[in-house]
Amino acid sequence: MSAKRAAAGFERIGVTPTIGQAASSAPNNGIQYHGGPIIDDANGINVYFIWYGDWNKDTDAQTIVTDFINHLGGSPYTTVNTSYYDMEPGPTGTNVVKDWVTTGIHYMGSTNDNYSQGKKLDDNGVGQVMSNAVLDGRLPADHNAVYFVITSADVTETSGFCTVYCAFHGYWSDPGFADDNLPVGFIGNTAHCPNNCTVQPVLPTPNNNVAGDGMVNLIAHETEETVSDPFGTAWYDSNYNENEDKCQWTFGKTYNLPNGSYANMKLGQRQYLIQQNWVNKNGGYCALRWDQ
């Protein structure tokens, strides 16, 4: 899995747009394979968090987000992504076979960054936060992973956070990473602009935390897209929408919770409201699980 770049820098692939922006439709299943790699390790994808800024004021959000990623792997939700594959050499090394996405998602740990790039990040700043964590030895250089830079509520991203997007994924290349680039994502704090980046912008929310409950939805979106299109060369439609883009801000069947909020799935001991993903079969459709 690699996407070569000549110099260090960040390449953004796809975003979670703000509420109200709809994805464009495409014919047939809607998502086509363009020949590039996916993250297809048999054990799934590894996930690392970089808590950027001051998180002392909202440790509850950190707990919610960490619980979510610890229970996402192997859940019914992740079965949707098993409708995607790339082409790999077969057992003989000559024939080519489909290598399918698996449902594994493994949280591998986190580190903190106390505003090393300031309270206003640009795209390269996001990549530099991840690069520093790896090159400093705080996190390993893991080519089967995505690193999420998760910002505290006082941090913004100057290329369009809250106006164009709420989160995005891409990759950062650096000579220190040897031959491969590392996938990295930006997860904006939904408390910074709740009306634009979460459908439950005021309390109550499923876990009674606007930031935590909003960000888990963004993490689901960007994780599933990173797996199926880490370098913008694998799965997208004729309008460059990736799988989660085609179902953005749609949640399927929901149910009411005792605190007055609503959710659509339970993972571990918590309830969440997570957008649907695109099942790329039978003409294509949005769902919360493969067989829905």
Side-chain angles (χ1 to χ4, degrees), residues 136-196:
D136 291 349
R138 288 177 284 130
L139 295 176
D142 187 342
H143 301 299
N144 191 59
V146 59
Y147 301 80
F148 285 121
V149 177
I150 308 176
T151 54
S152 55
D154 57 342
V155 175
T156 191
E157 219 281 11
T158 58
S159 64
F161 176 46
C162 291
T163 58
V164 178
Y165 60 78
C166 305
F168 59 72
H169 78 97
Y171 61 93
W172 172 265
S173 61
D174 192 290
F177 299 158
D179 292 334
D180 284 311
N181 306 292
L182 297 182
V184 57
F186 166 79
I187 304 298
N189 194 306
T190 51
H192 190 91
C193 50
N195 289 321
N196 292 351

Side-chain angles (χ1 to χ4, degrees), residues 264-275:
N264 62 3
M265 69 176 67
K266 183 179 181 181
L267 301 176
Q269 298 303 308
R270 293 183 183 273
Q271 306 282 349
Y272 301 100
L273 183 69
I274 305 299
Q275 73 154 80

Side-chain angles (χ1 to χ4, degrees), residues 192-266:
H192 190 91
C193 50
N195 289 321
N196 292 351
C197 289
T198 177
V199 295
Q200 296 186 86
V202 297
L203 296 177
T205 63
N207 296 283
N208 287 311
N209 186 287
V210 170
D213 281 310
M215 288 189 295
V216 293
N217 180 57
L218 306 181
I219 289 171
H221 183 122
E222 300 303 338
T223 300
E224 299 294 81
E225 287 188 347
T226 297
V227 171
S228 61
D229 193 32
F231 302 117
T233 58
W235 289 93
Y236 53 88
D237 70 13
S238 58
N239 294 299
Y240 297 100
N241 293 306
E242 297 171 304
N243 51 2
E244 292 267 346
D245 295 331
K246 297 181 73 65
C247 305
Q248 63 203 19
W249 304 115
T250 69
F251 298 92
K253 185 177 181 180
T254 63
Y255 49 85
N256 295 325
L257 297 175
N259 70 351
S261 66
Y262 56 98
N264 62 3
M265 69 176 67
K266 183 179 181 181

Side-chain angles (χ1 to χ4, degrees), residues 21-59:
Q21 299 186 62
S24 302
S25 61
N28 303 319
N29 277 349
I31 300 280
Q32 295 83 41
Y33 179 54
H34 294 84
I38 61 170
I39 297 180
D40 54 5
D41 186 272
N43 292 319
I45 186 174
N46 298 327
V47 175
Y48 300 88
F49 290 159
I50 303 170
W51 301 101
Y52 186 86
D54 181 7
W55 281 95
N56 291 323
K57 299 174 183 177
D58 200 355
T59 57

Side-chain angles (χ1 to χ4, degrees), residues 75-91:
S75 69
Y77 184 76
T78 60
T79 63
V80 176
N81 250 22
T82 62
S83 56
Y84 300 91
Y85 59 84
D86 65 2
M87 305 301 292
E88 300 284 350

